[in-house]
């Protein structure tokens, strides 16, 4: 066993209102520079939809992530290997281009002031932020928000691939239109394909907290990571000639604050906490059978209360305060204890460390009269009827394993039943208890899930481990002296090379 | 000092010293600026027809030049038999055409694509032109002065060695035709451009990728360096 700690994330999709506050918070802090205008380290997509960049989930096109070589029982990168990593340096066959994202633009506001007097109001023409030329805006990062233009966007969702024509119609029938939001950031994967693909070795995972970063001084712009990340969460800065990605606001985390997108989230859907996992098992688990990926990834995560785990973690250099933080982690509860939160597209085999509680709406919203069903004979009828949404959600969150999705929904529905019994009292108590037991929960867990879902405080949602930078510093010099002397150090302007 | 003396016995040292001194300074002081400055993200298709032929061509040709420099006697011996000379010359010339085709594509692309123009610096233009002159002069020499590879091994290699041994022997080169002289001088000019342009990118050829492990983990503090007992105590 080789225990490592990982700052992990959980997004509760039922709570996301699709307001994009998270994206804007991130943009304002990190990506408002030239070369990064098109980047949305945090973006929010409407599902079904094609997302950003367009159809990013389609790995036949983008070649991201790992694939399993069934004969050798081993995983390899879909886009590159040791030989291609050198041979394709000069031109990369599968690199997405800016048109797969969108061409960033602004408006020529000066026209509003400088236009000669006339009969018509002057307009501010859109111009490209790359060339400065007039541009005919064709797409943006969230052009298909709320199913806008769904005949083009939603119906091209790669996850719909396995669903028959007829079933798709069911999904899109307007009065039952099923959609939800999917906020995405870098997953800070345990088996990141971006790291494995980088010829320079510029991308690395931080040992202490598992944050995946691009060392800007080592990156040489070989751009393999952009192709290799199946979530398209490494971006090429066309101005500086370097790749950039979500840094999980590590300067904020190191000072005890949650990342900006987490802190600003209006729906309060975001949770953050430490997970302990066994780094020795990464390869084994990333190579397991597709249908087992979710279960196995849960296995990878260790119980922070187990004395054996604690002893080993201390031996592996994990600070006691970090172990304590892992014990309080809300993510641990949702992912491992309650088995409610699932990884996005586990079949990409990067072992993403961002988990999602899938939304109830697509399943419950299908019930005939438009209201949620809560008092029929068997409480899970709506789930049984929701064949199409379940198939769709399984494509997103469980590599096609529908049982996992149903298990999750039985739990989510049970929590609601339990609360309804308590608050409204119009259900048969025995039957509700039966339902809770079928879902594999107890009344107490239902309460705990309810509390952490609906009533959490800021401290419940974000359990930020101490970073102990002082120990890193003290290895080299006296911490007090360091504090007095450093300031911000020498920093060099990140200018494009000649 | 005659212009020949300056161009063939002083200028080379100036350029080499510039390259040797400034390249590491740039590496240590402005490491962020080391990048291939790829523009594939903005334009993908024309780049393929430019970058791939250009790089495969130029790298093999530079490799050939290097080989001729290191083992000139073997090259001469190989060329002793006519058909072998033709094979070598033919291969060299085809690679040269590949190179110039790629280079022209790269230049056209920089000129016609508005997005690429937006990321083109003055230095990009300078090196593309200097490289064009270089490859053009090389091909000219190969076609019109048919001593080719044997000449390189017999005259250019000793001249270069005379430079490296601080005893420049310009008699080996001073009477050569203009195009050949241009080829030599432009080569040194390119050496001096190395630290001031994107050409530094070829120094970062990431061969370590072949043997490094797939995952990279970096610790702020080395594992176990600070144990919990130390922290508590
Ligand atoms: C050692 C291996 C080399 C590697 C791995 C390499 C890689 C690259 C890459 C990735 C690019 C960017 C292409 C893009 O826009 O996506 C590039 C551009 C370029 N390389 Fe190299 N290169 C190498 C050697 C050389 C050499 C030896 C030369 C010339 C002496 C050279 C000259 C150039 C030039 C002029 C460009 C700019 C092309 C443009 O106009 O966009 N390279 N190289
Ligand atoms: S999601 Fe993040 S860590 Fe995972 S492969 Fe992509 S960039 Fe790397
Ligand atoms: S801020 Fe929160 S609620 Fe709003 S879109 Fe982002 S994740 Fe959803």
């Amino acid at each position: 066993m080789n225990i490592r700690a990982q700052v992990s994330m959980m997004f509760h999709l039922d709570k996301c209102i699709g307001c994009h506050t998270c994206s804007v918070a991130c943009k304002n802090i990190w990506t408002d520079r030239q070369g990064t205008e098109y980047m949305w380290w945090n973006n929010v997509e409407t599902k079904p939809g094609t997302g950003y960049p367009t159809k990013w989930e389609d790995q036949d096109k983008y070649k991201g992530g790992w694939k399993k070589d069934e004969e050798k029982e081993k995983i390899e990168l879909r886009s590159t290997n040791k030989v291609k990593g050198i041979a394709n340096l000069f031109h990369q066959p599968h690199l997405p281009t800016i048109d797969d994202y969108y061409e960033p633009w602004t408006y020529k506001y000066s026209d509003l002031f400088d236009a000669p007097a006339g009969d018509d109001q002057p307009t501010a023409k859109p111009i490209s932020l790359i060339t400065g030329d007039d541009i005919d805006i064709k797409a943006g990062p969230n052009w298909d928000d709320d199913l806008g233009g769904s005949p083009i966007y939603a119906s091209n969702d790669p996850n719909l691939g396995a669903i028959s024509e007829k079933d798709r119609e069911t999904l899109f029938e307007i009065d039952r239109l099923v959609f939800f939001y999917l906020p995405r950031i870098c997953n800070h994967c345990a088996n990141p394909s971006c790291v494995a693909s980088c010829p320079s070795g510029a991308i690395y995972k931080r040992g202490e907290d598992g944050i995946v970063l691009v060392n800007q001084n080592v990156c040489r712009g070989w751009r393999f990571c952009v192709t290799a990340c199946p979530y398209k969460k490494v971006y090429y800065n066309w101005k500086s000639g370097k790749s950039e990605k979500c840094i999980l606001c590590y300067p904020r985390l190191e000072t005890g604050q949650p990342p900006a997108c987490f802190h600003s989230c209006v729906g309060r859907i975001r949770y953050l906490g430490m997970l302990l996992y066994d780094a020795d098992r990464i390869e084994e688990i990333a190579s397991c059978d597709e249908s087992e990926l979710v279960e196995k990834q849960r296995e990878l995560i260790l119980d922070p209360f187990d004395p054996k785990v604690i002893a080993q973690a201390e031996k592996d250099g994990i600070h006691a305060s970090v172990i304590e933080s892992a014990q309080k982690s809300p993510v641990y509860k949702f992912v491992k204890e309650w088995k409610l939160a699932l990884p996005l597209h586990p079949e990409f085999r990067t072992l993403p460390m961002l988990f999602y509680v899938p939304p109830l709406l697509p399943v419950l919203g299908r019930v005939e009269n438009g209201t949620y069903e809560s008092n029929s004979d068997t409480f899970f009828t709506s789930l049984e009827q929701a064949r199409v949404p379940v198939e769709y959600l399984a494509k997103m969150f469980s590599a096609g394993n529908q049982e996992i999705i149903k298990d999750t929904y039985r739990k989510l529905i049970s929590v609601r039943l339990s609360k309804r019994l308590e608050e409204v009292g119009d259900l048969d108590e025995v039957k509700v208890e039966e339902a809770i037991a079928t879902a594999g929960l107890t009344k107490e867990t239902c309460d705990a899930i309810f509390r952490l879902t609906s009533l959490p405080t800021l401290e419940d949602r974000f359990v930020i481990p101490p970073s102990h930078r002082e120990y890193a510093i003290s290895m080299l010099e006296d911490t007090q002296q360091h504090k007095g002397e450093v300031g911000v150090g020498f920093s060099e302007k990140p200018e494009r090379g000649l | 000092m005659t212009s020949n003396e300056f161009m063939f016995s002083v200028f080379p040292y100036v350029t080499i010293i510039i390259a040797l001194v400034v390249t590491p300074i740039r590496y240590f002081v402005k490491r962020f600026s080391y990048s291939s400055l790829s523009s594939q993200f903005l334009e993908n298709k024309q780049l393929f027809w430019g970058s791939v032929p250009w790089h495969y061509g130029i790298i093999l040709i530079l490799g050939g030049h290097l080989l001729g420099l290191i083992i000139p006697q073997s090259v001469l011996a190989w060329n002793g038999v006519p058909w072998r000379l033709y094979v070598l010359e033919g291969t060299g010339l085809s690679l040269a055409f590949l190179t110039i085709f790629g280079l022209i594509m790269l230049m056209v692309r920089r000129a016609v694509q508005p997005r690429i123009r937006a990321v083109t610096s003055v230095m990009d233009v300078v090196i593309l032109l200097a490289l064009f002159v270089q490859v053009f002069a090389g091909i000219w020499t190969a076609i019109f002065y048919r001593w080719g590879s044997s000449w390189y091994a017999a005259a250019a290699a000793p001249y270069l060695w005379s430079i490296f041994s601080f005893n420049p022997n310009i008699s080996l080169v001073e009477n050569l035709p203009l195009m050949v002289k241009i080829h030599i001088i432009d080569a040194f000019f390119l050496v001096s451009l190395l630290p001031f342009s994107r050409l530094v990118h070829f120094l970062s050829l990431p061969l370590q990728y072949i043997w490094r492990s797939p995952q990279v983990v970096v610790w702020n503090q080395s594992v176990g360096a600070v144990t919990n007992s130390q922290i508590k105590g």
Side-chain angles (χ1 to χ4, degrees):
Chain A
M1 221 170 5
N2 172 15
I3 301 186
R4 270 195 226 144
Q6 167 85 39
V7 198
S8 313
M9 305 140 275
M10 192 285 275
F11 292 179
H12 199 305
L13 293 187
D14 256 333
K15 302 209 282 173
C16 179
I17 57 173
C19 62
H20 300 270
T21 307
C22 45
S23 311
V24 173
C26 174
K27 169 121 304 227
N28 280 335
I29 302 182
W30 302 119
T31 60
D32 59 350
R33 298 156 286 139
Q34 197 184 16
T36 66
E37 316 91 335
Y38 83 94
M39 297 180 194
W40 293 87
W41 292 355
N42 179 109
N43 76 301
V44 184
E45 299 171 3
T46 302
K47 284 280 159 193
T50 48
Y52 157 87
T54 313
K55 294 181 88 168
W56 61 272
E57 288 154 296
D58 181 358
Q59 303 309 345
D60 290 337
K61 173 171 161 55
Y62 287 106
K63 308 278 180 209
W66 304 85
K67 67 167 192 277
K68 188 172 171 187
D69 185 326
E70 294 296 338
E71 263 167 42
K72 283 189 255 167
E73 293 275 300
K74 278 182 79 169
I75 51 166
E76 46 196 47
L77 291 171
R78 202 175 264 117
S79 58
T80 183
N81 56 38
K82 302 268 181 202
V83 176
K84 286 189 199 163
I86 306 293
N88 288 346
L89 278 167
F90 317 117
H91 178 274
Q92 249 204 61
H94 308 293
L95 186 78
T97 65
I98 188 129
D99 296 312
D100 292 308
Y101 302 74
Y102 71 103
E103 182 163 349
W105 72 88
T106 182
Y107 297 91
K108 222 172 166 182
Y109 295 106
S110 57
D111 281 2
L112 299 180
F113 299 98
D114 304 342
D119 292 338
D120 302 316
Q121 289 276 4
T123 51
K125 270 202 274 180
I127 49 171
S128 161
L129 276 171
I130 297 177
T131 60
D133 299 338
D134 288 355
I135 127 172
D136 183 15
I137 307 166
K138 295 212 183 64
N142 61 340
W143 229 226
D144 54 346
D145 234 17
D146 295 353
L147 295 184
S150 50
I152 326 168
Y153 296 107
S155 55
N156 279 321
D157 183 328
N159 298 301
L160 294 169
I163 297 175
S164 74
E165 252 338 288
K166 195 167 150 286
D167 285 350
R168 279 193 207 196
E169 276 166 31
T170 344
L171 199 63
F172 288 116
E173 254 176 73
I174 203 71
D175 53 340
R176 297 172 177 171
L177 206 57
V178 162
F179 74 79
F180 59 95
Y181 301 107
L182 182 71
R184 302 200 298 120
I185 64 174
C186 164
N187 299 291
H188 298 277
C189 308
N191 184 33
S193 49
C194 56
V195 175
S197 74
C198 174
S200 306
I203 314 185
Y204 62 98
K205 214 169 158 57
R206 292 216 299 194
E208 284 78 6
D209 50 18
I211 296 178
V212 176
L213 297 173
V214 183
N215 185 334
Q216 293 290 305
N217 277 341
V218 180
C219 172
R220 294 285 177 271
W222 306 130
R223 68 229 174 277
F224 282 84
C225 52
V226 180
T227 312
C229 169
Y231 302 92
K232 290 292 161 281
K233 282 294 169 192
V234 194
Y235 301 85
Y236 183 73
N237 180 325
W238 55 266
K239 183 72 185 176
S240 70
K242 308 267 166 161
S243 289
E244 295 184 16
K245 65 182 289 298
C246 159
I247 58 174
L248 204 63
C249 286
Y250 73 83
R252 289 174 58 94
L253 282 177
E254 284 175 9
T255 49
Q257 308 166 77
C261 56
F262 285 70
H263 211 159
S264 63
C265 176
V266 174
R268 303 185 183 183
I269 81 157
R270 297 174 177 229
Y271 297 72
L272 180 135
M274 270 294 179
L275 292 181
L276 302 181
Y277 69 98
D278 183 359
D280 282 344
R281 293 191 64 197
I282 293 175
E283 193 176 352
E284 169 212 332
I285 286 178
S287 331
C288 77
D289 242 29
E290 208 160 75
S291 58
E292 291 183 330
L293 277 165
V294 174
E295 264 309 315
K296 288 277 186 182
Q297 189 176 351
R298 283 180 188 146
E299 230 175 78
L300 181 72
I301 297 162
L302 301 168
D303 177 359
F305 297 97
D306 181 344
K308 272 202 253 106
V309 171
I310 296 175
Q312 182 65 37
E314 290 196 347
K315 232 187 263 160
D316 292 332
I318 297 176
H319 193 278
S321 61
V322 174
I323 300 173
E324 198 186 318
S325 162
Q327 291 172 342
K328 293 188 194 137
S329 164
V331 183
Y332 180 76
K333 293 204 178 81
F334 276 103
V335 175
K336 177 96 176 182
E337 252 182 72
W338 302 332
K339 298 190 168 44
L340 281 174
L342 304 168
L344 177 63
H345 287 299
E347 74 277 16
F348 299 160
R349 297 180 186 274
T350 60
L351 305 182
M353 285 303 200
L354 160 58
F355 302 86
Y356 293 89
V357 174
L360 262 174
L361 187 68
V363 172
L364 291 190
R366 278 201 78 255
V367 176
E368 288 308 323
N369 57 13
T371 51
Y372 292 169
E373 173 202 40
S374 55
N375 49 6
S376 64
D377 285 346
T378 56
F379 288 123
F380 301 124
T381 11
S382 56
L383 179 61
E384 298 308 327
Q385 286 170 353
R387 185 173 54 83
V388 182
V390 167
E391 207 177 311
Y392 177 74
L393 289 158
K395 274 227 77 169
M396 285 181 67
F397 296 113
S398 64
N401 185 336
Q402 299 187 18
E403 275 319 302
I404 291 181
I405 300 289
K406 285 190 189 158
D407 272 353
T408 313
Y409 277 114
R410 266 183 225 114
K411 287 181 191 153
L412 291 173
I413 293 172
S414 300
V415 173
R416 295 206 171 192
L417 293 173
S418 146
K419 273 336 263 186
R420 177 159 184 135
L421 175 68
E422 205 177 301
E423 302 290 331
V424 186
D426 63 344
L427 303 176
D428 178 353
E429 193 171 342
V430 180
K431 279 193 182 154
V432 170
E433 272 164 17
E434 237 169 59
I436 293 175
T438 319
L441 297 177
T442 62
K443 178 81 183 65
E444 290 67 45
T445 21
C446 283
D447 279 347
I449 294 171
F450 164 74
R451 292 204 75 79
L452 200 54
T453 305
S454 304
L455 309 169
T457 61
L458 191 98
E459 285 77 19
D460 294 336
R461 283 183 285 138
F462 311 129
V463 180
I464 298 165
S467 303
H468 292 305
R469 288 307 294 253
E470 67 277 17
Y471 296 121
I473 294 162
S474 68
M475 284 173 20
L476 302 171
E477 59 185 317
D478 179 63
T479 42
Q480 287 305 321
Q481 195 179 340
H482 179 84
K483 190 176 165 195
E485 282 175 354
V486 290
V488 287
F490 291 93
S491 46
E492 169 211 328
K493 217 169 149 196
E495 268 170 347
R496 179 184 170 90
L498 286 167
Chain B
M1 189 188 297
T2 66
S3 63
N4 269 338
E5 275 172 354
F6 177 78
M7 290 321 275
F8 295 109
S9 62
V10 179
F11 183 63
Y13 289 107
V14 175
T15 63
I16 293 171
I17 289 169
I18 290 178
L20 285 181
V21 173
V22 184
T23 312
I25 293 182
R26 174 166 171 187
Y27 185 75
F28 289 111
V29 178
K30 287 188 89 66
R31 193 169 302 179
F32 181 80
S33 74
Y34 270 65
S35 165
S36 74
L37 297 178
S38 166
S39 53
Q40 186 181 357
F41 185 68
L42 299 177
E43 198 289 322
N44 194 355
K45 297 203 177 71
Q46 284 186 6
L47 180 77
F48 174 82
W49 294 105
S51 184
V52 176
W54 158 253
H55 279 101
Y56 277 109
I58 194 73
I59 289 171
L60 289 173
I61 286 185
L62 276 178
H65 281 64
L66 195 68
L67 210 65
L69 185 65
I70 300 171
I71 45 165
Q73 294 313 321
S74 316
V75 175
L76 285 175
W78 167 276
N79 283 349
V81 185
W83 70 264
R84 293 202 295 211
L85 173 71
Y86 299 145
V87 169
L88 188 66
E89 289 285 306
T91 320
L93 198 58
S94 341
L95 283 174
F97 279 123
L98 192 70
T99 312
I100 202 148
F101 169 78
L103 189 55
I104 291 171
M105 286 302 291
L106 286 172
M107 293 167 86
V108 169
R109 172 173 177 267
R110 288 227 167 247
V112 304
Q113 296 283 347
R115 285 178 184 170
I116 303 304
R117 274 212 303 275
V119 288
T120 299
S121 66
V122 176
M123 195 45 100
D124 286 338
V125 178
V126 173
I127 54 167
L128 283 177
L129 288 176
L131 286 167
F132 182 80
V133 169
Q134 186 64 7
V135 181
F136 183 82
I139 293 180
W140 185 282
T141 309
I143 294 177
F144 294 107
Y145 312 110
R146 304 184 148 255
W147 347 276
S149 43
S150 292
W151 164 76
Y152 177 77
Y159 164 67
L160 287 173
W161 280 117
S162 76
I163 299 268
F164 298 148
S165 53
F166 303 104
N167 187 16
N169 180 358
I170 65 168
S171 65
L172 287 163
V173 288
E174 65 186 342
N175 297 319
L176 292 171
L178 183 66
M179 259 317 169
V180 186
K181 283 186 175 168
I182 290 179
H183 193 68
I184 297 172
I185 293 166
D186 194 40
F188 284 115
F189 179 56
L190 280 162
V191 169
S192 73
L193 286 185
L194 174 78
F196 303 105
S197 71
R198 57 150 27 114
L199 288 183
V200 286
H201 72 277
F202 84 82
L203 299 175
S204 338
L205 182 67
L207 286 178
Q208 73 276 15
Y209 185 58
I210 296 171
W211 59 83
R212 85 160 164 85
S213 80
Q215 298 301 355
V216 182
V217 179
V218 175
W219 298 79
N220 281 327
Q221 53 196 74
S222 54
V223 187
V226 185
T227 64
N228 283 312
S229 59
Q230 270 174 291
I231 291 159
K232 283 178 201 135

